[in-house]
Amino acid sequence: MSIDPEKRRNVGADSVFVIPVGPKCRPDFVTDTIDSIRYFAPTARIILVDDSRRGLGIKLGERYQLTVVEARARGVFGGLYLNLSDGFKEALTRPFRILVRLDTDALIAGSDFEVKAIELFDSDPHLGSLGSFRVGYDRIGVRNAGWAKRRILLYLAVRAWTNPRAAHKFVGLLLRARKHGYMLGDSIQGGAAIYRYEAVAALDENGLLGRAELFRTGLQEDYIFGLCLYSIGYQLGEFGNRYDDLPMGVDWRTLPAAPQELLELGKSIIHSTKNFETMDEQAIRNEFRSARQER
């Protein structure tokens, strides 16, 4: 799909990025991720949620003139849900059409993600979030469904009743979500996900951002957000694999394919840059940076 030249000049104008910065992040890698956004979505707003515990987010915010939200919890599982919730609330203080939730081991490699996301959202008002959903990059099996189900079932069977208030809230959301087609464990892979404005606003209006009960479940943030979206009538959708022209080329802890393949296929949202076969993160980022410089 080719993008209209006028839309290409304005790419990013309808986007806001929310990026959690953790304590183990390398400053040069975070900088590279920000540079990739600035190159391909120059007018996008960027919000850093600073959980670095060493002021890295604040320093980068000052350097790049970004919005910085101080993390209020340790950024894993339920804590990451709280921190991202604060980032989402900050995003809602200004207009946007899509919110891109991006980890620091992700980057942007093209300009088509915004137009394609908006087109999909416009085609289906029930779509709340896009990403790697039920299908992995190679379309083999169901992405992480078994692991997610086990984590949720373990919570319900063992840990839930240590905090009845949290359990009551979680089960209530689960019952409502089931009415809208939710299957246990439905979620977008958390390293890269896109939300429509209306879905983020509805989460806030329904009191589902930053709830202490959901934090106390200790479940992964992507499981929590998936459940919350379904509970208010939104659904999740796919946004890219090896066999389509949609923008995402993502996997959990590794790059899903060689950098050159992802670039040739036109994948523009990339995760995870941590490694691929014999390549380390520095080598992977060097290839994507070189591709940017050659454009």
Side-chain angles (χ1 to χ4, degrees):
M1 168 186 166
S2 61
I3 301 176
D4 179 88
E6 183 61 31
K7 290 183 178 180
R8 185 178 294 280
R9 278 193 290 274
N10 294 319
V11 71
D14 292 322
S15 303
V16 58
F17 285 76
V18 176
I19 305 173
V21 180
K24 296 182 180 180
C25 291
R26 272 183 50 169
D28 55 333
F29 289 167
V30 183
T31 296
D32 184 60
T33 295
I34 294 170
D35 286 342
S36 74
I37 298 169
R38 282 285 172 86
Y39 184 89
F40 289 109
T43 61
R45 184 184 181 202
I46 302 174
I47 299 170
L48 303 181
V49 183
D50 189 6
D51 184 34
S52 67
R53 301 171 221 173
R54 53 195 162 112
L56 175 58
I58 294 172
K59 293 174 185 175
L60 291 172
E62 292 173 349
R63 175 179 172 184
Y64 284 91
Q65 297 184 319
L66 311 177
T67 302
V68 180
V69 175
E70 186 175 350
R72 57 171 161 148
R74 185 179 179 188
V76 294
F77 302 136
L80 185 52
Y81 156 74
L82 283 185
N83 293 343
L84 285 172
S85 290
D86 289 346
F88 288 7
K89 287 182 178 182
E90 173 60 34
L92 288 168
T93 62
R94 286 161 58 178
F96 64 87
R97 293 195 68 185
I98 65 168
L99 183 153
V100 186
R101 175 265 192 269
L102 211 62
D103 269 350
T104 53
D105 60 328
L107 52 75
I108 301 301
S111 302
D112 64 342
F113 65 91
E114 183 178 82
V115 171
K116 291 186 177 182
I118 290 172
E119 286 181 345
L120 279 174
F121 285 139
D122 285 348
S123 72
D124 185 350
H126 298 294
L127 269 179
S129 183
L130 297 167
S132 179
F133 175 32
R134 288 180 175 156
V135 176
Y137 181 75
D138 289 306
R139 295 199 311 193
I140 299 173
V142 178
R143 183 198 64 81
N144 284 340
W147 173 254
K149 289 176 185 177
R150 287 192 296 272
R151 292 283 299 180
I152 294 172
L153 289 173
L154 179 64
Y155 165 72
L156 292 171
V158 178
R159 301 196 318 273
W161 307 111
T162 62
N163 190 316
R165 185 174 178 180
H168 182 266
K169 181 65 179 178
F170 186 86
V171 172
L173 290 173
L174 187 59
L175 293 174
R176 289 201 294 275
R178 292 284 291 172
K179 294 179 181 179
H180 297 290
Y182 174 78
M183 296 174 62
L184 196 64
D186 274 351
S187 60
I188 298 294
Q189 199 280 326
I194 297 184
Y195 295 77
R196 71 188 304 147
Y197 169 84
E198 294 85 354
V200 180
L203 288 172
D204 190 36
E205 291 164 3
N206 284 273
L208 294 175
L209 293 181
R211 287 203 73 107
E213 301 98 320
L214 297 178
F215 159 69
R216 293 191 180 102
T217 65
L219 291 169
Q220 280 90 329
E221 49 87 19
D222 42 0
Y223 305 168
I224 294 173
F225 281 117
L227 175 66
C228 288
L229 285 170
Y230 270 98
S231 76
I232 55 175
Y234 283 101
Q235 297 173 351
L236 311 180
E238 306 290 349
F239 204 48
N241 60 62
R242 175 174 274 137
Y243 306 100
D244 62 30
D245 66 348
L246 292 172
M248 282 194 177
V250 307
D251 201 350
W252 181 30
R253 290 185 173 179
T254 183
L255 211 61
Q260 191 58 40
E261 176 183 320
L262 294 169
L263 289 165
E264 288 174 357
L265 292 176
K267 301 305 179 184
S268 57
I269 297 181
I270 307 299
H271 181 276
S272 164
T273 56
K274 287 181 178 177
N275 59 80
F276 178 73
E277 296 180 348
T278 61
M279 299 179 72
D280 63 10
E281 185 159 11
Q282 187 69 68
I284 290 169
R285 287 183 177 274
N286 286 346
E287 288 217 19
F288 283 105
R289 189 183 306 110
S290 296
R292 290 201 299 273
Q293 293 170 348
E294 291 172 3
R295 291 172 69 97

